[in-house]
Amino acid sequence: MPEPIIFYDIPGNAAKDKAWSPNTSEAFLRFNLNIKGIPYRTVWVEYPDIAPLSKRIGAEPTTTNPDGSGSPHYTLPAIYDPNTRTAVAESLAIARYLDRTYPSSGPTLISKETDALHMAFVQAFRDAYLPDAGQLFLPASCTQLNPGSEAYFRRTRETWYNAKLEDFAPVGSEKRAQHWKGVEKALHTIKEWLEADGTEKMNVMGDRISFADIVVVSHLVWMRLVLGPASEEWTDVMKWDGGHWARFMAGFGKWETVDVGTEVEAEV
């Protein structure tokens, strides 16, 4: 029996919802592990601790800092697999690693013949959805974090975007209304992609789940988390496209389980 993979995740504010990180990429990985049925345990890591943790376990930086300095930027999600003594960061890279290393565990989420198509889908989804969704949900994500992470998140994002988070999409503003129209249009466009042959589909690959579906549902989980499941805005989203997105999310409910997790450890 293999040892559980260590999944490094960012905790939400315990007073709100620690179970799901207000970071969409972490949701990608949690769904990935749950769907494949791979044993894992969560270790919670606050934002200022991500770089030291990544260096310690041997996870490579995933990009460079958006501040223009060219310095390495370390991000979560990341995993450490004690069975292979391997650390991997970045959602797509981890998904490929899990498919390759544990081929008999659950479905293959990025099959070799669809790897390039998955890359294209992820980029197309981001281009359609994130310009408006980021303006709406990044400020709300900040309030879901613990104090140390909240301060780090605010400082870095306001530097990157050269704007106060509160100015992104103020409640009641025309700017916010326009961003909501953009989010609705983006989700409708994605639904049209799924229905290119004229029939309603829940999954990008038709009758089987793939990483592309995890990308979509993870962003919806992010939206639900920051808006609140009882909010008027979230209720409206679940009615869009004739209730398509409510039906889509219902199909993933059984994979939303989260372990209690522990705080970041001194060493692997």
Side-chain angles (χ1 to χ4, degrees):
M1 189 70 179
E3 292 185 57
I5 285 173
I6 302 173
F7 167 30
Y8 296 99
D9 195 2
I10 300 166
N13 188 320
K16 295 179 180 178
D17 187 358
K18 181 175 181 176
W20 282 96
S21 167
N23 182 315
T24 313
S25 295
E26 271 78 348
F28 292 172
L29 180 52
R30 194 172 293 283
F31 273 118
N32 194 312
L33 289 164
N34 288 345
I35 290 169
K36 290 183 73 67
I38 296 174
Y40 71 95
R41 62 186 180 90
T42 303
V43 174
W44 303 111
V45 184
E46 299 292 349
Y47 266 100
D49 300 322
I50 292 173
L53 177 279
S54 298
K55 294 173 184 177
R56 177 163 55 76
I57 66 174
E60 296 291 331
T62 56
T63 183
T64 56
N65 276 305
D67 59 8
S69 65
S71 59
H73 185 50
Y74 295 89
T75 62
L76 295 185
I79 63 168
Y80 181 80
D81 186 348
N83 304 290
T84 61
R85 304 182 75 82
T86 301
V88 189
E90 198 274 323
S91 300
L92 275 163
I94 296 171
R96 294 188 187 101
Y97 171 83
L98 295 174
D99 280 339
R100 181 177 67 249
T101 309
Y102 299 96
S104 61
S105 293
T108 297
L109 295 173
I110 304 180
S111 57
K112 290 181 179 179
E113 64 271 17
T114 67
D115 199 297
L117 293 175
H118 268 89
M119 290 289 290
F121 179 87
V122 170
Q123 188 60 55
F125 179 90
R126 288 172 176 166
D127 289 346
Y129 182 79
L130 286 181
D132 292 295
Q135 295 293 305
L136 290 166
F137 308 138
L138 280 175
S141 294
C142 189
T143 66
Q144 301 285 330
L145 297 167
N146 291 322
S149 286
E150 181 178 359
Y152 178 94
F153 187 94
R154 175 178 290 277
R155 182 180 70 255
T156 54
R157 273 58 182 177
E158 289 184 348
T159 298
W160 298 348
Y161 292 99
N162 194 30
K164 293 290 186 184
L165 291 177
E166 288 77 11
D167 295 335
F168 278 25
V171 175
S173 67
E174 178 60 26
K175 183 189 293 187
R176 188 175 183 85
Q178 289 303 313
H179 285 311
W180 267 112
K181 289 179 182 178
V183 168
E184 183 175 12
K185 179 181 178 181
L187 287 177
H188 182 71
T189 297
I190 293 154
K191 180 175 179 288
E192 289 183 328
W193 295 347
L194 297 176
E195 297 177 352
D197 68 350
T199 60
E200 183 180 43
K201 293 185 182 68
M202 292 294 116
N203 302 319
V204 172
M205 299 293 292
D207 59 354
R208 67 184 181 90
I209 289 174
S210 69
F211 186 80
D213 303 310
I214 293 175
V215 170
V216 179
V217 75
S218 296
H219 279 90
L220 290 171
V221 167
W222 177 38
M223 189 193 305
R224 184 187 65 196
L225 174 65
V226 300
L227 294 176
S231 68
E232 182 178 350
E233 288 174 320
W234 176 250
T235 301
D236 286 344
V237 172
M238 292 295 92
K239 295 176 183 175
W240 288 352
D241 289 316
H244 173 89
W245 300 110
R247 295 190 294 276
F248 175 75
M249 287 204 73
F252 285 83
K254 61 186 175 183
W255 292 305
E256 287 197 38
T257 57
V258 182
D259 63 319
V260 174
T262 60
E263 302 305 317
V264 67
E265 301 158 332
E267 58 184 67
V268 175

